[in-house]
Amino acid sequence: MAYVRGRVRASVDALEHLVGGLGTATLALGALLWAAIVAVTCLVGVGLLAAPGALRAVRWVSDRERTRLSRWGEPIPTPGPVPAGLRTATRDPFVRRELGWVALYSLVGLVTGLVGIALPLYAVQDGTFPLWYRLVPPDAAPGIVWWRIDGVSDALWVGVLGVGCLAAAIWFSPVLARLQAWPGRLLLPPPPGVDLSLRVAELTATRAAALDAHAVELRRIERSLHDGTQNRLVAVNVLLGAARRAVRRNPDRADEILGQAQDAAEQALGELRTVVRGILPPVLDDRGLAGALAGLAGSCVVPCRLEVDVTVRCAASVEATAYFVVAEALTNVVRHSGASQVDVAVRRERGRLLVCIEDDGQGDADETRGSGLTGIRRRVEAYDGRMTLTSPPGGPTRMDVELPCGS
């Protein structure tokens, strides 16, 4: 039974992929026709001015497919803009691969999408036909195979055909979805060699972000120690000196000063513990990620619903990064969003830790306004993760973070 439920769930997911792929295939067909018309008119010199626009249209459709495939599997990086100049653009390896993809996907994407959608439609239509076959003329029976319907037995055969279409949809929809994605997985990733250079550039950028994040963290710790703990310890030293001088002159006054020194020492210890927790919260070792996040959610001023689906422990650095992401995001929600509810969901999937924070506030969050979002992005990218922020004016605001999850 569990196997059947899994197959049905996989077929529903595949149908969603096929519907999205059919839309992209329709756009790809339009881009292919436009590029073909421009190519033909270029032979007489008329289409030379329209050629850059046609290549940009192909790039736009290709980027849509890259984004779609990245949501369902391994991410595919998007190239930059189409190079200026027709000769330079036609020599670009990305442009050549995209033109090949448009030509191939216009056929494969449309056929697989139409077949994938037609199977469940025929399953519903033919499977329910015995219930309404009297409403149509005998010569107007629906179905893939046509025959004359003279009675309930013929209608039941159409229903059997509908059951067959349902079985075919359950079993073959995932195959059709993989076949539909095949041209994009083959031609839209960077060409060999280019992928390596992009990866080197990405690692260079993330290394710089890691160094910047490390420097910011050191400055934060130094500022906390200088402005808080150090001042408290100086006060303790001054009070102890005053108490030492007062012992001979006024013992009662010395006892009062020692009490003030003790209070200042306790405050210094409290601030020092806060700084230590900011480096690596000990609650992660004591209670794990779920317990640590439960503590954050419970102390949040805005009502917070927490859902954690992480059955095994991740690497300490991953858990610490996820903890700080949620802590900073909840701080932003309290300070800037005006939200009445915030949802935090954490799960582990395909070797990655996925963190989602969504609130119902006023939205319009901007990383350039100093709200801590830039620090979150740097911390995530320094660990080779990804952060996506969606915050239209009026809300809601949603932050999705993906972290590579080692063991």
Side-chain angles (χ1 to χ4, degrees), residues 3-33:
Y3 174 75
V4 175
R5 285 198 299 267
R7 294 294 303 184
V8 172
R9 189 179 301 112
S11 65
V12 172
D13 292 340
L15 181 60
E16 183 180 357
H17 299 182
L18 289 167
V19 171
L22 181 60
T24 308
T26 304
L27 295 175
L29 180 60
L32 177 64
L33 294 176

Side-chain angles (χ1 to χ4, degrees), residues 27-347:
L27 295 175
L29 180 60
L32 177 64
L33 294 176
W34 174 240
I37 293 173
V38 170
V40 172
T41 54
C42 281
L43 297 177
V44 294
V46 178
L48 293 175
L49 295 178
L55 294 180
R56 286 194 295 269
V58 172
R59 172 64 55 84
W60 178 75
V61 178
S62 302
D63 285 345
R64 284 181 60 91
E65 180 68 2
R66 289 187 179 99
T67 302
R68 188 182 76 89
L69 294 179
S70 297
R71 288 199 302 266
W72 307 118
E74 289 295 324
I76 299 177
T78 57
V82 177
L86 182 58
R87 180 171 297 180
T88 304
T90 54
R91 291 177 179 175
D92 184 76
F94 283 100
V95 172
R96 293 184 177 183
R97 291 168 71 91
E98 288 168 352
L99 290 173
W101 170 80
V102 165
L104 181 60
Y105 193 70
S106 298
L107 175 62
V108 176
L110 280 175
V111 172
T112 54
L114 291 174
V115 173
I117 295 175
L119 285 176
L121 292 179
Y122 275 121
V124 173
Q125 176 183 265
D126 293 351
T128 60
F129 183 68
L131 303 177
W132 51 274
Y133 76 97
R134 297 180 185 278
L135 301 178
V136 297
D139 295 333
I144 300 176
V145 180
W146 177 88
W147 64 77
R148 180 182 176 84
I149 305 301
D150 292 323
V152 66
S153 60
D154 292 338
L156 289 176
W157 279 113
V158 177
V160 171
L161 181 62
V163 174
C165 290
L166 178 61
I170 293 175
W171 287 99
F172 293 110
S173 290
V175 178
L176 290 172
R178 288 193 295 270
L179 179 60
Q180 189 185 62
W182 168 71
R185 294 292 179 191
L186 177 67
L187 296 174
L188 292 184
V194 176
D195 189 22
L196 180 60
S197 63
L198 290 176
R199 183 58 178 165
V200 170
E202 180 183 356
L203 290 176
T204 302
T206 55
R207 184 184 64 177
L211 294 175
D212 290 341
H214 180 66
V216 170
E217 192 69 13
L218 288 178
R219 285 195 297 270
R220 183 188 67 82
I221 296 172
E222 188 274 336
R223 188 167 54 250
S224 299
L225 292 175
H226 181 274
D227 297 342
T229 308
Q230 178 176 289
N231 290 339
R232 299 293 182 188
L233 293 177
V234 169
V236 169
N237 187 49
V238 172
L239 290 171
L240 288 176
R244 184 178 180 182
R245 291 188 296 271
V247 166
R248 304 188 190 110
R249 305 173 187 173
N250 188 355
D252 295 335
R253 175 63 177 164
D255 183 70
E256 180 184 350
I257 296 174
L258 287 174
Q260 295 176 0
Q262 184 178 6
D263 293 339
E266 290 177 354
Q267 293 176 358
L269 285 175
E271 293 176 354
L272 188 59
R273 291 191 190 99
T274 301
V275 174
V276 171
R277 292 192 189 99
I279 298 172
L280 184 62
V283 69
L284 286 173
D285 289 331
D286 300 336
R287 302 169 58 188
L289 182 60
L293 295 181
L296 287 177
S299 61
C300 184
V301 177
V302 178
C304 179
R305 290 184 300 204
L306 176 66
E307 180 181 350
V308 181
D309 184 14
V310 182
T311 56
V312 296
R313 294 295 299 268
C314 300
S317 56
V318 176
E319 292 187 347
T321 302
Y323 178 87
F324 284 119
V325 165
V326 175
E328 185 65 31
L330 292 181
T331 301
N332 286 340
V333 170
V334 173
R335 291 181 179 176
H336 307 293
S337 70
S340 61
Q341 179 72 43
V342 58
D343 296 325
V344 178
V346 182
R347 72 182 190 277

Side-chain angles (χ1 to χ4, degrees), residues 341-356:
Q341 179 72 43
V342 58
D343 296 325
V344 178
V346 182
R347 72 182 190 277
R348 180 170 177 169
E349 183 177 299
R350 293 195 299 269
R352 301 183 74 82
L353 189 67
L354 308 180
V355 182
C356 176

